[in-house]
């Protein structure tokens, strides 16, 4: 039966099945009992010794919480505790303890979220709710964030379709529309959703607070400039996302420009070019030549110091290699050896010797370190003269001509599209060495004095052509990534030799596939930027190559707000919508602001909208005319070798002959 027993007469039972607890949960329980009192009785049995006391068989955590409150002076020592007193029947008591703990049902996280939200709506604040339930403020804020999930996601949490960790991943950003979109995308997948995958999808088009650009700018400057920050309440501070990348990029570029100007004045270099990258790529060094400098020689004193340190290092290495050395001695030796190596590096890592007469002619790059600190790249450069850049045989090369402005597009955007379209063509040329070989042979033998008016769209000297837009990059574009992978896969073993003769002999020793890959790489790297159609900026020959390679541009490049729609006028966007699904689709967004219209066009061209299947297919295939490889007017070109009698066999015979030569040389 239920009776009240003074707290002082209750002692823990050794038969209680719960052996472990959780400190945070115990703190919550104490706070709950302090706020509302004991809501559930304890289960006890009478002790024989000492008489008058009772053993707590079930409810040990509540008993401990009551004693802790009494010790803190918040309850009286004789506080009357409601208890169910059982007869001591041995195993039956242990069974009751197990059942009392086992049958508890944890509160559904969704119900927990709604409960906290209810208290806030009733006028409580987050701090008060946290104190009342013995939890942290961050815990309450996290549950309130979950209560604000998109309805479809919150319902899935309530129904047990997703776990609490999955729900937290969706709540990493408060954008409910994106939450619903990502949930829909993940629901269509075959594999189970993982919190990390969902969190990555939720934070696309944002920047982490740990990004070097963010560390360079600083949160205060970013917020002062109008930038927005979204803090993930379920992760550490490094998961904070910065939403306005344009503001961050502007501030970062300004800081890098200021740092470059300061360093240029301090070093006396002719120029210092800042970049937000951690490295300097080949595009940035276009038109530049590396300056080879001799390392500074060590003084006699420095040589003596290095010799002494190296002798000490040898002693530590001997100790490490000695099997009789203790673990403590080995650990100490490793620490001392690392210190010695740093001391040697500090002496020997001296800047190269620079002729002061050369200083006003050279320049360097200022890169951004992973910790957000601008660093002067150690490699120095000097600008090539125009004659060195073009060479004596490039007088008829029209690569430097500015691309024409396409109808409805700015000159800058036309040039950017030309570069991206060229990269797509380059990927396909590099992937087909046989085609690249045919193209290389043709360009070498067909460039005759009488053909100077023809534009081939290639520099063939294997020197990268001058880009119409300096510094324009697309690091995440599929074509750019594919070109980088192709470049990394090249066999560069022959490049390590000192002389041209040795490098040439080593190159010839490569297999036919390795040499063919270099051929594709060289020809692809010579391709100039062009847009579709005729004119000085267009290149009919590139269009012809694109048709022969059957390039599907839409599979490699999609128009987005960042790379296209933000850079065109509203009429151009309306024309695009009309081409996709007629005037009705364009009229639907007639009153939209330019920024909203650009974002809408991006979603539509990605197929991310509700519509007919045929309309979505047209949207996913739509491209601005400048990015197309224009079809041949009137069908097959008269000059296409495939239409000439006997040419296919002749071409195959010539290619077989070249392949035989490569194979014979390799043998």
């Amino acid at each position: 039966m239920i009776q009240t027993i003074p707290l002082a007469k209750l002692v823990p039972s050794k038969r209680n099945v719960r052996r472990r607890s959780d400190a945070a949960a115990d703190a919550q329980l104490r706070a709950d009992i302090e706020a509302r009192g004991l809501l559930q009785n304890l289960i006890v049995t009478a002790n024989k010794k000492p008489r008058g006391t009772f053993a707590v068989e079930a409810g040990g955590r509540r008993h401990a919480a009551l004693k802790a409150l009494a010790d803190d002076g918040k309850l009286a020592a004789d506080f009357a505790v409601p208890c169910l007193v059982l007869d001591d029947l041995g195993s039956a008591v242990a069974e009751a303890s197990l059942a009392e703990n086992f049958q508890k049902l944890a509160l559904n996280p969704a119900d927990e979220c709604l409960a906290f939200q209810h208290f806030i709506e009733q006028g409580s604040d987050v701090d008060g709710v946290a104190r009342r339930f013995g939890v942290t403020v961050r815990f309450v804020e996290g549950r309130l964030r979950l209560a604000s999930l998109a309805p479809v996601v919150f319902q899935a949490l309530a129904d047990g379709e997703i776990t609490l960790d999955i729900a937290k991943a969706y709540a990493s950003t408060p954008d409910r529309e994106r939450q619903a979109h990502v949930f829909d995308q993940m629901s269509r997948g075959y594999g189970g959703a993982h919190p990390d995958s969902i969190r990555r999808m939720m934070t696309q088009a944002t920047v982490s607070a740990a990004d070097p650009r963010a560390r360079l700018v600083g949160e205060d400057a970013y917020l002062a400039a109008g930038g927005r920050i979204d803090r993930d309440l379920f992760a550490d501070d490094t998961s904070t996302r910065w939403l306005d990348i344009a503001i961050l990029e502007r501030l970062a570029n300004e800081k890098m420009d200021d740092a470059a100007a300061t360093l240029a004045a301090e070093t006396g270099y002719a120029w210092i070019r800042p970049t937000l990258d951690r490295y300097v790529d080949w595009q940035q060094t276009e038109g530049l030549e590396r300056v080879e400098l001799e390392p500074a020689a060590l003084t006699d004193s420095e040589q003596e110091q290095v010799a002494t340190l190296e002798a000490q290092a040898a002693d530590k290495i001997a100790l490490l290699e000695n099997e009789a050395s203790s673990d403590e001695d080995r650990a100490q030796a490793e620490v001392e050896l690392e210190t010695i190596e740093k001391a040697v590096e500090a002496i020997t890592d001296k800047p190269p010797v620079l002729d002061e007469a050369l200083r006003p002619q050279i320049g360097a790059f200022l890169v951004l370190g992973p910790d957000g600190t601008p660093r002067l790249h150690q490699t120095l450069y000097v600008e090539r003269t125009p004659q060195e850049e073009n060479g004596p045989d490039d007088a008829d090369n029209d690569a430097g001509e500015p691309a024409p402005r396409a109808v409805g597009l700015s000159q800058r955007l036309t040039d950017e599209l030309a570069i991206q379209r060229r990269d797509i063509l380059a990927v396909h040329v590099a992937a087909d060495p046989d085609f690249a070989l045919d193209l290389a042979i043709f360009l070498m033998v067909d460039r005759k004095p009488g053909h100077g008016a023809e534009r081939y769209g290639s520099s063939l000297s294997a020197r990268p052509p001058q880009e119409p837009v300096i510094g324009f990059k697309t690091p995440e574009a599929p074509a750019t990534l594919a070109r980088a992978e192709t470049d990394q896969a090249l066999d560069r073993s022959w490049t390590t030799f000192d002389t041209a003769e040795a490098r040439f002999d080593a190159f010839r020793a490569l297999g036919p596939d390795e040499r063919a890959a270099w051929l594709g790489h060289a020809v692809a790297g010579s391709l100039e930027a062009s847009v579709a159609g005729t004119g000085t900026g267009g290149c009919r020959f590139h269009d012809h190559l694109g048709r022969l390679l059957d390039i599907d541009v839409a599979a490699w490049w999609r128009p987005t707000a960042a790379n296209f729609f933000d850079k065109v006028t509203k009429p151009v966007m309306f024309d695009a919508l009309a081409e996709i699904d007629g005037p009705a689709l364009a009229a639907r967004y007639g009153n939209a602001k330019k920024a909203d219209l650009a974002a809408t066009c991006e979603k539509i061209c990605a197929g991310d909208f509700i519509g007919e299947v045929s309309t979505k297919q047209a949207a996913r295939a739509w491209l601005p005319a400048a990015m197309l490889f224009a079809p041949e007017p009137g069908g097959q070109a008269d000059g296409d070798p495939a239409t000439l009698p006997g040419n296919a066999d002749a071409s195959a015979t010539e290619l077989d002959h070249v392949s035989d030569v490569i194979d014979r040389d390799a043998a």
Side-chain angles (χ1 to χ4, degrees):
M1 66 177 184
I2 299 291
Q3 67 182 76
T4 57
I5 300 173
L7 176 60
K9 293 187 177 183
L10 298 176
V11 295
S13 171
K14 296 180 180 180
R15 291 179 293 193
N16 194 311
V17 296
R18 186 185 294 277
R19 295 290 185 266
R20 297 172 180 83
S21 188
D22 180 270
D26 292 342
Q28 295 175 22
L29 180 60
R30 286 196 300 273
D32 187 77
I33 293 176
E34 182 182 1
R36 282 172 291 280
L38 187 66
L39 303 180
Q40 184 179 0
N41 63 269
L42 309 183
I43 298 176
V44 301
T45 58
N47 284 327
K48 294 180 180 180
K49 292 181 181 180
R51 295 183 64 81
T53 63
F54 295 83
V56 179
E57 307 292 350
R61 290 181 61 241
R62 279 164 278 155
H63 175 233
L66 290 169
K67 287 186 67 63
L69 291 172
D71 293 341
D72 293 342
K74 297 177 180 178
L75 287 178
D78 59 349
F79 175 77
V81 182
C83 300
L84 173 62
V85 182
L86 298 179
D87 294 332
D88 189 354
L89 300 178
S91 62
V93 173
E95 182 178 333
S97 175
L98 176 62
E100 202 264 355
N101 284 281
F102 193 74
Q103 297 301 330
K104 289 181 179 178
L105 178 64
L107 192 65
N108 183 286
D111 296 335
E112 202 173 64
C113 298
L114 294 177
F116 282 131
Q117 188 179 52
H118 168 75
F119 288 115
I120 296 298
E121 292 174 350
Q122 293 299 316
S124 299
D125 58 14
V126 173
D127 290 338
V129 173
R131 287 194 302 270
R132 188 173 182 181
F133 289 94
V135 295
T136 64
V137 171
R138 184 163 182 165
F139 180 87
V140 177
E141 290 176 340
R143 289 300 186 264
L144 293 175
R145 170 73 72 87
L146 291 177
S148 301
L149 281 168
V152 64
V153 182
F154 188 82
Q155 189 61 46
L157 174 64
D159 295 342
E161 297 177 5
I162 61 175
T163 65
L164 180 60
D165 286 340
I166 294 291
K168 289 179 179 180
Y170 281 111
S172 59
T173 60
D175 188 343
R176 301 177 74 181
E177 181 180 349
R178 182 155 188 82
Q179 292 169 1
H181 171 68
V182 173
F183 181 82
D184 178 64
Q185 295 295 315
M186 298 302 292
S187 300
R188 298 178 185 179
Y190 293 102
H194 190 277
D196 289 342
S197 301
I198 294 172
R199 190 169 279 105
R200 277 193 295 270
M201 295 179 67
M202 290 298 303
T203 57
Q204 284 178 349
T206 62
V207 168
S208 167
D211 187 279
R213 293 167 295 177
R215 293 182 175 183
L216 170 68
V217 171
E219 184 174 308
D220 293 341
Y222 171 74
L223 293 174
R228 296 169 299 158
I229 286 180
D230 181 28
R231 304 187 191 278
D232 187 347
L233 298 177
F234 306 104
D236 55 31
D237 292 338
T238 58
S239 299
T240 299
R241 309 301 301 182
W242 293 23
L243 307 182
D244 298 296
I245 299 179
I247 294 177
L248 174 61
E249 289 273 355
R250 175 175 60 81
L251 295 175
N253 279 313
E254 289 174 356
K255 293 204 70 171
M256 290 295 286
D257 288 341
D258 292 342
T262 301
L263 281 173
E266 293 176 353
T267 60
Y269 291 162
W271 50 264
I272 292 181
R273 298 178 186 175
T275 174
L276 293 179
D277 293 326
R278 301 184 189 181
Y279 57 89
V280 179
D281 60 25
W282 63 270
Q283 289 181 321
Q284 292 170 303
T285 58
E286 171 67 21
L288 303 176
E289 183 177 348
R290 292 183 60 169
V291 177
E292 301 294 342
L293 300 175
E294 293 293 333
L298 299 180
T299 64
D300 294 340
S301 175
E302 290 171 337
Q303 291 178 2
E304 292 177 0
Q305 294 179 45
V306 171
T308 302
L309 291 170
E310 289 178 344
Q312 295 175 2
D315 293 339
K316 303 303 177 184
I317 293 173
L319 191 150
L320 291 172
E321 294 176 348
N322 188 349
E323 296 180 357
S325 301
S326 64
D327 292 340
E328 293 79 5
D329 291 341
R330 289 175 182 271
Q332 181 65 23
E334 288 179 352
V335 173
E336 293 176 355
L337 183 60
E338 183 177 355
T339 303
I340 293 171
E341 290 174 347
K342 290 182 178 179
V344 172
E345 183 179 353
I347 297 173
T348 58
D349 188 16
K350 303 177 69 174
V353 178
L354 175 62
D355 185 354
E356 291 302 318
L358 184 61
R359 185 180 293 272
Q361 305 174 29
I362 64 173
F365 287 89
L366 185 67
V367 298
L368 184 60
D371 60 351
T373 303
R375 298 174 180 174
L376 198 62
H377 197 271
Q378 67 268 23
T379 305
L380 303 178
Y381 297 88
V382 63
E383 293 183 342
R384 297 194 190 103
T385 62
Q387 184 176 2
E388 292 173 333
E389 179 68 22
N390 298 323
D393 298 328
D394 290 343
D396 61 341
N397 191 344
D398 56 359
E401 294 182 7
R405 178 174 177 177
V407 177
L409 308 183
S410 67
Q411 183 64 61
R412 167 83 185 197
L413 178 58
T414 300
D415 292 338
E416 291 177 358
L417 297 179
I419 293 173
Q420 295 174 82
R421 178 176 178 268
R422 184 279 317 281
D423 284 348
I424 296 172
L425 175 61
V427 170
H428 288 74
V429 172
D432 192 342
D434 291 339
F435 183 88
L437 181 60
D438 288 342
L439 177 59
I441 296 172
F442 169 76
L443 291 174
M444 286 187 289
V445 302
D446 198 59
R447 280 198 164 180
K448 300 176 181 178
H451 297 170
E454 289 281 348
R455 183 185 180 193
Y456 296 96
S458 170
S459 58
L460 190 63
S461 62
R463 183 187 302 123
Q466 184 68 42
E467 302 285 23
V469 179
I470 302 301
F472 176 71
K473 299 178 184 177
T474 54
E476 302 300 328
T480 302
L481 296 174
R483 289 193 70 186
E485 291 176 3
T486 302
D487 181 80
Q488 293 173 1
L490 294 170
D491 185 342
R492 288 185 165 80
S493 59
W494 59 275
T495 64
T496 60
F497 293 87
D498 294 330
T499 66
E501 295 84 352
R503 290 194 297 271
F504 178 68
D505 292 342
F507 179 80
R508 295 190 66 196
L510 297 178
D513 291 341
E514 287 74 16
R515 280 183 285 163
W518 274 103
L519 174 62
H521 170 77
V523 175
S526 72
L527 294 172
E528 300 169 354
S530 70
V531 290
T534 58
T536 56
C539 181
R540 286 188 311 166
F541 191 58
H542 276 191
D543 290 334
H544 184 64
L545 300 180
R547 290 192 298 271
L548 293 177
L549 291 169
D550 196 21
I551 296 176
D552 180 9
V553 178
W556 290 85
W557 185 88
R558 299 303 303 132
T560 65
N563 70 12
F564 186 79
F565 292 114
D566 280 342
K567 304 175 182 181
V568 300
T569 61
K570 290 177 66 174
V572 173
M573 288 187 270
F574 289 138
D575 289 343
L577 295 176
E579 290 178 24
I580 292 172
D581 196 35
L585 181 60
R588 187 184 307 173
Y589 304 99
N591 296 326
K593 295 181 179 178
K594 186 176 185 298
D596 295 335
L597 181 60
T600 299
C601 289
E602 176 178 343
K603 289 185 176 181
I604 290 176
C605 288
D608 184 15
F609 67 99
I610 299 175
E612 299 293 335
V613 174
S614 59
T615 303
K616 287 193 173 185
Q617 290 176 344
R620 293 192 185 102
W622 184 87
L623 291 166
M627 287 296 290
L628 296 171
F629 287 100
E632 185 71 31
Q636 187 76 43
D638 295 337
D640 189 339
T643 65
L644 302 179
N647 254 21
D649 292 339
S651 177
T653 301
E654 291 172 1
L655 182 58
D656 289 341
H657 172 69
V658 173
S659 298
D660 288 341
V661 172
I662 293 178
D663 292 338
R664 184 169 62 251
D665 289 346

